[in-house]
């Protein structure tokens, strides 16, 4: 029925759930979790912008979005790589929501369906090349194994186990700062060029990352928007950017801890588990 919206999703790959909601409630919750935040999202007009000279025959914001990455990619990367990641055509990303049924108050997790978009292949390529830089010694890939180790370890009664959760991590990632963090790590001792036999400058990698992750154009309810800050859950670079930023925070805090700046904190063990769906 038109008044209902159903959403299918998997929990821990064990079973499939279906949530049926009133469509107006679904739309309200999705908007609250995304486009209502004008610091993170802005609407995009379909009207042709005014310009001098003869206007182009066909206009759509997506056409411009397709042109910019291709021009930069072909200028920066070798032809063979550029040919493999420049799209022959693309479609708009679509924003939808998954209900957070585990929350006390029902909320929506905005997800960007980005497969086939103008910068999707570029983002996938960058993710594959840079993912090694977003893991540190505090990253835990399997929380169950960590739980087993904790149970096996004898702790004094005074030891306290504390768990923290980062709220809305993806949309709160500072994009420009995180891009610079990744570029600095990639060009430490020229690692990136040595690893992949390339001849890029650091500013060129920064440009590619910006094209892949910033100002993502998407559609919701037949209207166009751009995400102007944070990263989209659904983008290939979303987990990479979030992990890179968290690693940077951890390294700074633990450096302060070792130097004695955080004297009141006696940290025995610090792990971080990153779940893409959180």
């Amino acid at each position: 029925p038109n008044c209902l919206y159903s959403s299918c999703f998997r929990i821990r790959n064990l079973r499939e759930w279906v949530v049926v909601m009133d469509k107006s409630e679904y739309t309200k919750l999705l908007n609250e979790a995304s486009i209502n935040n004008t610091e993170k999202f802005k609407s995009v007009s379909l009207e042709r912008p005014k310009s001098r000279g003869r206007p182009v025959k066909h206009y759509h914001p997506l056409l411009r979005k397709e042109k910019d990455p291709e021009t930069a990619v072909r200028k920066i990367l070798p032809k063979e790589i550029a040919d493999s990641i420049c799209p022959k055509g693309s479609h708009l990303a679509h924003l939808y929501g998954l209900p957070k049924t585990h929350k006390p108050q029902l909320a929506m997790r905005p997800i960007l369906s980005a497969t086939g978009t103008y910068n999707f292949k570029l983002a996938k390529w960058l993710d594959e090349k840079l993912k090694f830089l977003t893991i540190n010694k505090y990253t835990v890939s399997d929380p169950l194994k960590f739980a087993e180790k904790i149970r096996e370890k004898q702790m004094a009664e005074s030891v306290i186990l504390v768990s923290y959760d980062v709220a809305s991590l993806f949309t709160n990632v500072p994009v420009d700062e995180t891009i610079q963090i990744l570029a600095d790590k990639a060009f430490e001792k020229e690692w990136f060029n040595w690893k992949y036999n390339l001849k890029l400058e650091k500013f060129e990698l920064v440009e590619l990352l910006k094209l892949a992750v910033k100002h993502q154009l998407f559609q919701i309810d037949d209207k166009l928007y751009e995400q102007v800050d944070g990263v989209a859950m659904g983008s290939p670079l979303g987990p990479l950017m979030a992990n890179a930023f968290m690693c940077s925070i951890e390294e700074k805090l633990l450096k302060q801890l070792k130097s004695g700046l955080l004297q009141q904190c006696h940290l025995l063990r610090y792990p971080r588990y990153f779940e893409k769906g959180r």
Side-chain angles (χ1 to χ4, degrees):
N2 292 333
C3 62
L4 296 177
Y5 177 85
S6 63
S7 175
C8 298
F9 58 98
R10 292 187 180 276
I11 295 182
R12 300 188 184 276
N13 296 320
L14 295 177
R15 62 183 68 178
E16 189 172 272
W17 296 75
V18 177
V19 177
V20 180
M21 297 179 62
D22 180 85
K23 188 174 181 180
S24 61
E25 179 69 7
Y26 165 83
T27 302
K28 173 178 172 290
L29 291 174
L30 178 57
N31 289 351
E32 288 176 354
S34 57
I35 58 176
N36 284 2
N37 186 342
T38 55
E39 293 182 357
K40 306 287 185 182
F41 301 90
K42 73 172 184 178
S43 61
V44 176
S45 174
L46 281 168
E47 292 184 7
R48 186 194 306 269
K50 294 181 180 180
S51 61
R52 294 182 178 180
R54 187 175 181 179
V56 293
K57 185 176 181 181
H58 301 288
Y59 172 77
H60 192 281
L62 180 59
L63 297 176
R64 184 67 185 178
K65 289 288 186 181
E66 288 178 339
K67 183 179 179 181
D68 290 344
E70 180 168 3
T71 302
V73 166
R74 294 198 178 280
K75 180 181 177 182
I76 294 171
L77 294 174
K79 184 179 185 303
E80 183 179 349
I81 298 175
D83 287 343
S84 68
I85 61 179
C86 287
K88 303 297 186 291
S90 68
H91 58 74
L92 281 167
H94 178 73
L95 192 73
Y96 66 96
L98 291 182
K100 296 182 179 181
T101 55
H102 60 287
K103 298 289 185 180
Q105 184 174 354
L106 185 62
M108 199 67 66
R109 176 181 292 120
I111 307 289
L112 194 71
S113 177
T115 304
T117 53
Y118 59 91
N119 55 1
F120 182 79
K121 288 185 177 180
L122 172 60
K124 288 281 286 184
W125 184 82
L126 288 166
D127 176 62
E128 183 66 27
K129 303 303 181 189
L130 297 173
K131 61 184 178 182
F132 307 104
L133 303 177
T134 61
I135 298 174
N136 60 19
K137 62 182 180 181
Y138 311 111
T139 307
V140 175
S141 58
D142 189 342
L144 296 179
K145 287 184 179 180
F146 170 73
E148 289 176 6
K149 289 182 179 180
I150 290 294
R151 291 192 188 99
E152 294 170 358
K153 191 175 180 65
Q154 290 187 347
M155 300 280 189
E157 291 185 3
S158 58
V159 172
I160 300 174
L161 179 65
V162 182
S163 175
Y164 293 97
D165 182 34
V166 181
S168 304
L169 174 58
F170 280 58
T171 52
N172 284 317
V173 169
V175 175
D176 288 320
E177 180 182 347
T178 307
I179 285 175
Q180 196 59 52
I181 289 169
L182 282 167
D184 289 343
K185 285 188 174 183
F187 277 84
E188 188 174 331
K189 298 181 180 179
E190 286 293 313
W191 173 84
F192 188 79
N193 286 329
W194 171 81
K195 176 75 173 176
Y196 301 111
N197 193 27
L198 294 169
K199 296 180 180 179
L200 270 66
E201 298 289 340
K202 186 191 289 189
F203 76 89
E204 291 176 319
L205 179 60
V206 168
E207 184 177 356
L208 291 176
L209 283 164
K210 286 182 177 180
L211 288 168
V213 77
K214 291 192 72 174
H215 302 289
Q216 179 70 53
L217 186 69
F218 65 90
Q219 186 176 32
I220 178 173
D221 287 338
D222 297 323
K223 295 179 181 178
L224 294 183
Y225 292 87
E226 274 187 0
Q227 184 166 353
V228 296
D229 195 19
V231 291
M233 187 175 289
S235 164
L237 284 175
L240 179 134
M241 296 281 288
N243 257 334
F245 182 63
M246 290 302 299
C247 285
S248 175
I249 290 177
E250 291 160 354
E251 288 161 8
K252 290 176 183 176
L253 288 176
L254 289 160
K255 189 178 290 184
Q256 291 179 1
L257 182 65
K258 290 179 180 179
S259 66
L261 293 176
L262 302 176
Q263 295 179 2
Q264 301 301 318
C265 180
H266 302 285
L267 192 64
L268 297 180
R269 182 76 187 273
Y270 170 78
R272 173 174 53 84
Y273 173 63
F274 181 79
E275 184 181 357
K276 291 184 181 181
R278 297 293 288 178

